[in-house]
Amino acid sequence: MDYNEAANDEPATIGTATRDEKAMSSAARIKSCSMLNVCGEEPDIGALVQFATSPNGFINDEVRRKAWPLLLGYVPSKKTNFTASARWQDLPRHKDEDQVRLDVDRSFIYYPKNQSEPQLDRRKRELSAVITQVLREYPMLSYFQGYHDIVQVFLLVLGVDDAAAAVSQLSLLRIRDFMLPSLEPSIAHLHLLPSILQAKSPKLRQHLSQTQPFFALAATLTLYAHDIQEYSDIARLFDFFLAHGAVVSVYFFAIIILARREELFEIPADEPEMLHSVLSKLPKPLDLEALIAQTVSLYQKFPPEKLPYRAWAKISPFSVLKTTRGDYRQQTLSDGVEYFEMQVAQLHRQRMRKKAMATLWRHRGSAGRVGLAVVVGVAAIWFGRGGVESYAAMAFRRLWEKSRGH
């Protein structure tokens, strides 16, 4: 892959932007001008959030190029990020670059339209370069299939020179849970769905009780970019998602489920495979404006802290679901790295605790002979105190071997 060639190409436009601007109504032009004004030297983030949530969102990419970086919490540098970054091409290869190449080869299937082969090849080079830059600069991030679907939207909206900065912010501060070395934090997002459904429609939640919420994984993992085939629709949906905390994406899927309640009730509750199959495919077409309005209403009526089953309390304090609550746009990339490291440490403690409990269960018959060592060992593992843990593990092993006659 010749990344320098991608960097030196002239920026390409989406192709439909000019036609869209010509077709804009006078009301849309006024709204567009108003939005550009609040993106000025002293941006009004509150106003941008309102515009992003209002019908049709930011309307066009001219506004998005100004608004998206602000909603992500940074001000674009006057120097282009893509070429100014300190020789990212010379950084060590990321472990996932082979998978990136395979996915990039399958990109730009639905949009932009009316592109020649050379134009699509150039876009793929740019997409590969943006993803690779982010991964090499933040090598702790784990690539996931569908990440390229998200990044290609940012590339088309912002252009190759500005996409990497935005994608870095997005990766570390908004979709960090999806880029950890374990899928567990991503699954935790899905486990909010039954609680949201219980709050709004207990009957529907009961009907789906035998169906695990994994049907929502592909959509939520890719911010719906893998499923939505129209560029204008996914760009508009990103307006909404970037204006709100990460948990809103889960509420959005809950609204899609609620909108399909009649269809779902026609499928027997004891056929979870059929329900999973239906729910894993988004209905077409999606009435985005209605879904967004209903998502806002649902979120306001049943905020995460008030969900049943203590669902919110079970979410890690380091998850983006919680770190994008409140005034999160002051967070820096360094904050994102720190949260990432804390999540990794927490995952490690959880795995060690499960391993210790499994060991206790297997040897429960001899627990009385090594009770003290067990208590010390489990406590050390649970609290993650390296020195004590090592000592307790050795003590446990010696006592256990002694009890077995070794």
Side-chain angles (χ1 to χ4, degrees):
M1 175 66 66
D2 188 347
Y3 297 114
N4 289 309
E5 182 181 353
N8 291 330
D9 280 336
E10 289 296 321
T13 60
I14 188 66
T16 57
T18 301
R19 291 196 298 274
D20 289 344
E21 288 186 7
K22 289 181 179 178
M24 284 175 61
S25 67
S26 58
R29 288 182 182 277
I30 292 172
K31 181 182 179 181
S32 179
C33 289
S34 298
M35 290 186 289
L36 289 172
N37 286 337
V38 302
C39 293
E41 293 184 4
E42 297 183 3
D44 186 340
I45 300 300
L48 280 179
V49 169
Q50 291 181 353
F51 280 128
T53 310
S54 66
N56 302 313
F58 292 139
I59 301 177
N60 60 58
D61 288 352
E62 180 185 6
V63 176
R64 292 186 179 105
R65 281 189 284 272
K66 299 287 187 181
W68 281 13
L70 296 173
L71 291 177
L72 284 167
Y74 77 100
V75 177
S77 170
K78 292 182 179 179
K79 292 183 178 180
T80 58
N81 181 78
F82 190 88
T83 55
S85 185
R87 297 302 302 174
W88 62 267
Q89 298 95 330
D90 298 331
L91 295 173
R93 277 177 55 87
H94 189 276
K95 60 183 176 61
D96 297 326
E97 286 187 32
D98 289 340
Q99 185 60 54
V100 171
R101 178 177 55 80
L102 293 174
D103 286 351
V104 167
D105 286 342
R106 297 189 291 264
S107 61
F108 301 110
I109 300 300
Y110 301 113
Y111 51 79
K113 298 177 181 178
N114 303 318
Q115 297 278 289
S116 65
E117 283 299 319
Q119 287 174 315
L120 286 175
D121 287 343
R122 179 176 65 180
R123 290 191 185 281
K124 289 179 181 180
R125 291 195 301 271
E126 293 172 346
L127 177 61
S128 180
V130 170
I131 294 174
T132 304
Q133 176 180 343
V134 174
L135 293 179
R136 288 190 184 183
E137 291 182 344
Y138 300 97
M140 78 290 292
L141 296 175
S142 295
Y143 176 84
F144 61 89
Q145 288 186 276
Y147 183 73
H148 71 292
D149 292 315
I150 299 173
V151 177
Q152 75 178 22
V153 178
F154 279 85
L155 175 62
L156 292 173
V157 170
L158 301 177
V160 66
D161 287 334
D162 297 317
V167 173
S168 296
Q169 294 280 136
L170 181 85
S171 300
L172 283 165
L173 299 176
R174 294 192 60 92
I175 61 171
R176 181 180 61 250
D177 292 5
F178 307 153
M179 306 193 77
L180 287 157
S182 168
L183 192 61
E184 291 176 28
S186 302
I187 300 300
H189 289 225
L190 307 184
H191 286 308
L192 289 177
L193 281 170
S195 297
I196 298 172
L197 294 177
Q198 175 67 23
K200 179 65 177 178
S201 177
K203 182 180 178 181
L204 181 56
R205 200 280 310 168
Q206 179 60 36
H207 186 71
L208 298 177
S209 61
Q210 299 181 52
T211 306
Q212 293 296 316
F214 302 136
F215 49 75
L217 183 60
T220 55
L221 197 67
T222 63
L223 301 182
Y224 303 80
H226 182 71
D227 298 278
I228 294 179
Q229 299 178 5
E230 291 295 328
Y231 172 75
S232 58
D233 288 344
I234 191 60
R236 191 275 169 272
L237 188 57
F238 276 24
D239 293 343
F240 175 59
F241 286 156
L242 295 181
H244 298 275
V247 73
V248 166
S249 173
V250 183
Y251 277 78
F252 185 82
F253 201 98
I255 285 295
I256 293 176
I257 297 174
L258 289 162
R260 306 177 74 179
R261 58 167 63 86
E262 293 183 8
E263 174 189 5
L264 296 172
F265 280 133
E266 292 177 357
I267 303 172
D270 60 359
E271 294 188 15
E273 295 85 0
M274 179 63 72
L275 287 166
H276 177 95
S277 178
V278 171
L279 287 166
S280 63
K281 300 178 182 65
L282 296 186
K284 298 177 182 179
L286 288 174
D287 185 348
L288 287 181
E289 299 307 329
L291 292 171
I292 288 171
Q294 292 165 22
T295 299
V296 172
S297 176
L298 182 67
Y299 178 80
Q300 292 176 342
K301 188 172 183 179
F302 304 108
E305 294 84 357
K306 295 184 178 181
L307 292 176
Y309 309 135
R310 299 187 69 251
W312 191 243
K314 298 174 184 177
I315 299 296
S316 166
F318 312 124
S319 166
V320 294
L321 294 173
K322 287 187 174 177
T323 62
T324 57
R325 298 276 285 163
D327 190 18
Y328 59 89
R329 291 187 177 89
Q330 302 301 316
Q331 294 172 10
T332 65
L333 291 174
S334 296
D335 293 329
V337 171
E338 186 175 350
Y339 281 131
F340 185 97
E341 292 171 348
M342 288 190 286
Q343 282 180 283
V344 169
Q346 184 181 52
L347 287 169
H348 175 71
R349 290 195 298 271
Q350 290 172 345
R351 285 193 295 270
M352 294 297 290
R353 177 174 182 263
K354 289 178 181 179
K355 185 176 179 180
M357 296 305 294
T359 300
L360 287 177
W361 181 251
R362 287 197 305 271
H363 303 307
R364 60 192 180 275
S366 304
R369 285 173 285 176
V370 290
L372 179 60
V374 168
V375 170
V376 174
V378 171
I381 291 170
W382 174 239
F383 290 109
R385 296 170 181 170
V388 176
E389 177 182 337
S390 299
Y391 176 83
M394 289 188 292
F396 176 86
R397 190 179 300 109
R398 286 197 298 269
L399 286 172
W400 175 248
E401 289 173 353
K402 185 177 180 180
S403 72
R404 295 291 298 273
H406 292 287

